[in-house]
Amino acid sequence: MPAELIDGRAIGRGIRERVAGEAADVTARGVKPGLTVILVGDNPASASYVRSKGVAAEEAGIDSTTIRLPASTQQSDLLSYVDELNIDPRVHGILVQMPLPKQINPDSVILRIDPAKDVDGFHPVNVGK
């Protein structure tokens, strides 16, 4: 069977268009989709990635908020932010940008995110799907 060349840009464009259409449908029914990203520290690559996700979300008609926390943030403080986002009805997706500073256990953070709001799909419930 010969190899098939796929156009990743075209596939990505199609996915973004589909998501924008779905976001518009949900918004028309009175619910504006919302994404909140938490960035801990000042890793330049992570900051760039988070910016691009924010732009993509806005282009798709999704409200995007970024919470920037210092690298000295303690795990308990980060988990408190996640708890607040889990119960916030305006937040439909949560993304905690990895890697996290060494004082924060990423598995604890992943487990704390409501699986229904886990954008990365890292929660064990979502990995199992």
Side-chain angles (χ1 to χ4, degrees):
M1 173 179 229
E4 180 182 343
L5 182 63
I6 60 172
D7 184 344
R9 290 178 192 248
I11 292 169
R13 190 171 35 256
I15 291 170
R16 286 189 300 277
E17 289 171 0
R18 188 184 80 237
V19 169
E22 291 171 0
D25 290 345
V26 171
T27 300
R29 292 193 306 262
V31 177
K32 179 77 170 179
L35 167 69
T36 298
V37 178
I38 301 176
L39 176 61
V40 184
D42 55 4
N43 179 304
S46 291
S48 176
Y49 180 79
V50 166
R51 268 191 307 279
S52 71
K53 292 300 127 193
V55 168
E58 293 290 341
E59 287 175 353
I62 298 169
D63 282 340
S64 178
T65 303
T66 300
I67 298 171
R68 298 181 192 288
L69 301 173
S72 60
T73 299
Q74 294 303 304
Q75 180 167 308
S76 60
D77 295 326
L78 176 55
L79 293 176
S80 292
Y81 276 101
V82 171
D83 290 342
E84 290 175 25
L85 297 173
N86 279 337
I87 62 172
D88 187 336
R90 296 168 299 171
V91 176
H92 302 96
I94 301 169
L95 187 156
V96 177
Q97 181 61 37
M98 304 292 170
L100 292 167
K102 63 183 178 219
Q103 74 274 13
I104 299 174
N105 178 338
D107 292 334
S108 296
V109 176
I110 290 166
L111 288 172
R112 195 65 155 258
I113 299 171
D114 179 340
K117 294 186 177 192
D118 174 21
V119 171
D120 282 324
F122 290 159
H123 191 283
V125 168
N126 295 325
V127 170
K129 291 181 179 179

